[in-house]
Amino acid sequence: MELTNEDAAELGRRLAAGELSSVELTRAHLDRIAARDDVLGAFLHVDAEAALARAAEVDAARAAGEELGPLAGLPVALKDVVVTEGVPTTSGSRILEGWRPPYDATVAARLKDAGTVLLGKTNMDEFAMGSSTENSAYRTARNPWDPDRVPGGSSGGSSAAVAGGLAPWALGTDTGGSIRQPAAVTGLVGHKPTYGSVSRYGLIAFSSSLDQAGPMARTVLDAAVLHEAIGGHDRRDSTSIDAPVPPLAQAATEGARGELSGLRVGIVRELGGAGHTDGYEDGVLARVREAVALLEGMGAEVREVSCPSFDLALAAYYLIAPSEASSNLARFDGVRHGLRVGDDGSRDLDTVMSLTREEGFGPEVKRRIILGTYALSAGYYEAYYGQAQKVRTLIGRDFSAAFADVDVLVSPTSPTVAWPIGARVDDPLAMYAADLCTLPASLAGLPAISVPCGLSEGLPVGFQVMAPALADDRCYRVAAAVEAALDAARGHRLLDELAQRAPSGAPA
Amino acid sequence: MSTPVPKDPPARQDTAGPGRDGTAGPGRDGTAGLGRDDVAHLARLARLALSDEELDHFAGQLSAVLDAVAQVGKADVADVPPTTHAVPLTDVTRPDVVAPSLPRDVVLAQAPAAEDDRFRVPQILGEEE
């Protein structure tokens, strides 16, 4: 298998064994980026020289006999919402074009300390607002399975990079599904950690009560390893939970043995079940049913669970997230960093601010700022934002009631497979519908993973596993069981079918 | 999942300006909608200049979005407390230790305009003040 299709775990093993150098591995990915990224649009910034220099440092340290961690020398890509010292960071927005942050986000610092090699910053919907990466101010990212389709979003640059062989794994961020949904539609594993279990320090804020960074990878084990590297308490994030990260790689390894007897699995009726199939593709529901049958075959007890408030998750989310965004994005005022427009000496601060934000923000960001401003305004606050917060409580209660009877909840990750580029750009509600299944766990702050469960019409389908707060290990265990069973049945990974379909370096 | 098509903005000139009509309660009476003037007012509050074209476009789209999100009004929330945060943490403190701040020249190098080791901002007060 080519280096650019290999699992990170195997690459790490070869690096540690001295069978492979980090420079060689990094160069293979940079070559792949040079060959494919014109089509895929996965990266907003790549610094080949810096990456190779860093790889050479790691190789030299290894040659000198220094004790290195298991991630040392492995390339990684970071979503451009992650602040990186001296490395351009835009959050997919013109308003931050050219900004080189003066510090590292905690997740970036932890990966740097672990000896990883930063390949570059990945494309995304502007300020992580979107489900297709078409809201990027810079370029449209494309799905390696079909370049005429979206790679999901908002972490669509990360999904395109990892699925397309441009990076072995990547970080994304998930506010309403932005790790899980792009992972699902590109055949990857993506996990949104328990809210507060991965530091938000240095993530450019979208909706602070929801944003979480997490791993996107080719296998459940890789995702678990990457998650362990970034997770854990950070005193620089006041919402960080001071509790140890459960052993995730171990959970993935154990789950892959396929022994699930005693595990209680709940299928959420409101997410694609009876009476709730509007907007769900038949092929998606069929693959999910097959994955559930696999779990039963491995000894899990499966039952249907009803969470009635989930029907209002979309409405609540699209009030809460824009409200928080309208407040968070007030910091982009053209004063301290980024763009400033119209400062000709005659215009006052307010005018310059308005012109800067007009030119610096794209349409979806503007829509959400206006919606959020409305939902928070006097006279409407209770009916909209206040009501949404109460619905959020009801959703949390539905989860609590369900988890009294089951260990994990499952559903499709997204109602559909990847859709054609352009199909939903002028219909915000159609775009928002892509988040239908991922929003409940986001609003409740719970961990949730997406694992590939097959193809529908030749395109990947994701299976979502949700767990109680801080029980991220259950997500990895169940996802690994599904992955191992499906890989064994087909004789290879799902992603290997992409490699067969698109010979490396071939134009789309 | 239904995907409503953006509709024409309703004429609401008389009640334009959210916050002025505190009894409208969108989501309760199904009359949610944002007119062009509403959007212009909100954009001003958010320090966001918008072109005429954007105003027209957003008014229609946001009315459709508002109709959809107004469904939260259907929930029976009597005696339900709001959730502001998934993790109920309070009074988070850390040791009060002096640590270096970001280097001033590095920060100012990223500013749109700097002067005398400070951020330079557009005029805040009018010339005559």
Side-chain angles (χ1 to χ4, degrees), chain A residues 420-435:
Chain A
I421 285 170
R424 301 187 187 185
V425 280
D426 216 28
D427 185 352
L429 284 169
M431 190 70 85
Y432 298 171
D435 304 339

Side-chain angles (χ1 to χ4, degrees), chain A residues 21-23 52-68:
Chain A
S21 74
S22 178
V23 166
L52 288 169
R54 170 81 173 144
E57 276 174 27
V58 177
D59 286 339
R62 201 185 301 279
E66 278 181 41
E67 187 121 337
L68 300 176

Side-chain angles (χ1 to χ4, degrees), chain A residues 278 340 366-367 378 384 393, chain B residues 1 19 26 54 61 81 83 120:
Chain A
D278 270 8
R340 180 184 291 183
K366 289 176 182 170
R367 278 193 290 266
Y384 285 117
T393 303
Chain B
M1 182 69 197
E54 281 178 314
Q61 289 179 327
T83 297
R120 190 178 67 71

Side-chain angles (χ1 to χ4, degrees), chain A residues 147-165:
Chain A
D148 291 331
R149 290 175 187 264
V150 301
S154 64
S155 310
S158 289
S159 67
V162 179

Side-chain angles (χ1 to χ4, degrees), chain A residues 100 195 238 278-279 335-336 340 343 346 348-350 354 357-358 366-367 374 378 380 384 387 389 393 397 426, chain B residues 1 18-19 26 46-47 49 54 57 61 64 66 71-72 75 80-85 87 92 110-112 120 123:
Chain A
R100 290 178 184 262
Y195 180 85
S238 63
D278 270 8
V335 171
R336 288 155 301 164
R340 180 184 291 183
D343 183 16
S346 75
D348 67 6
L349 182 68
D350 269 8
S354 299
R357 289 158 65 83
E358 175 183 32
K366 289 176 182 170
R367 278 193 290 266
Y374 181 64
Y380 294 90
Y384 285 117
Q387 184 79 5
Q389 286 184 306
T393 303
R397 287 179 181 174
D426 216 28
Chain B
M1 182 69 197
R47 302 295 181 272
E54 281 178 314
H57 202 52
Q61 289 179 327
L66 206 53
Q71 287 180 43
V72 291
V80 175
T83 297
T84 52
H85 229 266
V87 183
V92 176
Q110 297 299 317
R120 190 178 67 71
Q123 57 169 299

Side-chain angles (χ1 to χ4, degrees), chain A residues 40 56 89-90 119 128 130 163 216 252 266 299 305 308 310 348 355 419 464:
Chain A
L40 292 179
T89 301
T90 68
L119 288 170
M216 302 174 74
V305 167
F310 287 13
D348 67 6
L355 293 172
W419 60 87
Q464 181 176 231

